[in-house]
């Protein structure tokens, strides 16, 4: 069932299967929407779960934020969403960017029963000196462009410059979502992993280049009650690359006490 809710002026679209003895909130990755997790949703429903599957602001049918949000703002919105729909104990599943929100939320909410992180983001990648040289050179040019062109025209020129150098996620995004992506990809959640109390399942593709398997191993080490399952020959969408294997692993975890 498609639904919409407005929280602090931000409209959030989601689907709700309504029925189920237990609840799980699903959160998609960057550039996707709730429909990306359709297979995952079916598995959870078969396990007796009520599934609430969100479109993050800026994706699917949820409008963009009017300000540059970071992981904290997205997390606060999902926290308010959970409260508004009346969930008292629930599980979380996040793919890629959705994993960032899942990590932060589970780290401070002991009522989270289970956490599933699928090819999740959250570990800040190691950067070369060349990368930092480009970053600080860009920041310097940004300041100069603000002085020469003014803020509005400078931002238009900077967006074109970012688009030429950015990833496919970046180039396909709107100017606002590009700024949000630039903010969230540099947020490191390593420091909160040890605070997660919920049993945690990590599912990864061994060929994932967006969030490497090394990230999963670090999460497994730092989250107190975590287990990692990796699939050979699979990439950043391991749940689609190995649907049978993923379904079996998720079913076992969701049905476990």
């Amino acid at each position: 069932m498609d639904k919409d809710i407005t929280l602090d002026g931000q409209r959030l679209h989601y689907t709700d299967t309504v029925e189920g003895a237990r609840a799980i909130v699903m959160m998609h990755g960057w550039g996707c929407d709730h429909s990306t997790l359709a297979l995952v949703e079916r598995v959870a429903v078969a396990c007796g779960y009520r599934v609430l599957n969100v479109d993050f602001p800026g994706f699917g049918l949820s409008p963009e934020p009017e300000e540059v949000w970071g992981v904290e703002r997205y997390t606060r919105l999902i926290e308010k969403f959970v409260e508004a729909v009346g969930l008292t104990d629930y599980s979380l599943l996040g793919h890629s960017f959705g994993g960032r929100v899942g990590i932060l939320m589970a780290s401070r909410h002991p009522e989270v029963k289970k956490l599933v992180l699928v090819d999740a983001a959250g570990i800040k990648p190691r950067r070369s000196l060349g990368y930092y040289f480009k970053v600080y050179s860009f920041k310097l040019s940004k300041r100069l462009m603000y002085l020469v062109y003014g803020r509005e025209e400078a931002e238009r020129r900077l967006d074109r410059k970012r688009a030429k150098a950015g990833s496919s996620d970046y180039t396909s995004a709107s100017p606002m979502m590009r700024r949000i992506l630039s903010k969230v990809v540099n947020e490191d959640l390593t420091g909160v992993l040890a605070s997660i109390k919920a049993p945690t399942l990590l599912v990864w593709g061994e060929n994932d280049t967006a969030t490497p398997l090394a990230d999963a191993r670090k999460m497994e080490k730092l989250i107190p009650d975590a287990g990692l399952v990796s699939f050979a020959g699979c990439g950043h969408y391991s749940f689609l690359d190995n649907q049978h294997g993923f379904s079996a692993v998720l079913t076992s975890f969701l049905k476990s006490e």
Side-chain angles (χ1 to χ4, degrees), residues 115-130:
L115 175 63
V116 183
L117 299 175
V118 185
D119 302 295
I123 305 294
K124 188 174 181 178
R126 293 181 178 180
R127 307 292 195 183
S128 66
L129 289 175

Side-chain angles (χ1 to χ4, degrees), residues 181-212:
L181 178 59
S182 295
K183 181 177 178 65
V184 300
V185 296
N186 289 307
E187 295 186 47
D188 188 6
L189 301 178
T190 303
V192 306
L193 293 172
S195 299
I196 296 174
K197 305 305 180 187
T200 301
L201 170 65
L202 305 165
V203 186
W204 239 261
E206 293 184 3
N207 295 342
D208 190 341
T209 56
T211 53

Side-chain angles (χ1 to χ4, degrees), residues 46-121:
C47 293
Y49 278 76
R50 172 190 177 188
V51 179
L52 299 97
N53 195 347
V54 305
D55 280 347
F56 281 124
F59 304 96
L61 297 178
S62 296
E64 293 180 0
E66 295 182 355
E67 301 174 346
V68 178
W69 284 19
V71 178
E72 173 64 30
R73 286 291 298 275
Y74 276 99
T75 303
R76 274 192 277 143
L77 182 70
I78 301 303
E79 289 171 336
K80 290 179 180 179
F81 166 71
V82 163
E83 182 179 359
V85 298
L87 302 184
T88 54
D89 56 81
Y90 52 91
S91 296
L92 297 171
L93 182 146
H95 170 245
S96 192
F97 171 71
R100 290 183 182 273
V101 177
I103 288 169
L104 191 55
M105 197 164 167
S107 72
R108 57 198 192 194
H109 289 278
E111 67 270 24
V112 173
K113 295 299 182 183
K114 295 182 180 182
L115 175 63
V116 183
L117 299 175
V118 185
D119 302 295

Side-chain angles (χ1 to χ4, degrees), residues 142-236:
K142 179 178 178 179
R143 290 183 181 180
L144 292 174
M145 289 176 76
Y146 271 36
L147 291 172
V148 174
Y149 299 108
R151 184 179 185 86
E152 188 173 339
E153 177 61 22
E155 282 296 343
R156 280 198 291 268
R157 291 171 178 261
L158 288 166
D159 281 334
R160 290 197 294 268
K161 188 174 181 180
R162 292 183 186 110
K164 290 179 180 179
S167 65
S168 59
D169 279 343
Y170 188 90
T171 55
S172 62
S174 70
M176 174 59 75
M177 297 310 292
R178 287 174 184 171
R179 292 167 201 162
I180 290 174
L181 178 59
S182 295
K183 181 177 178 65
V184 300
V185 296
N186 289 307
E187 295 186 47
D188 188 6
L189 301 178
T190 303
V192 306
L193 293 172
S195 299
I196 296 174
K197 305 305 180 187
T200 301
L201 170 65
L202 305 165
V203 186
W204 239 261
E206 293 184 3
N207 295 342
D208 190 341
T209 56
T211 53
L213 186 59
D215 291 1
R217 291 183 175 131
K218 188 170 186 178
M219 291 180 188
E220 182 185 29
K221 181 179 179 181
L222 294 175
I223 298 172
D225 186 7
L228 169 63
V229 177
S230 62
F231 294 119
C234 295
H236 190 55

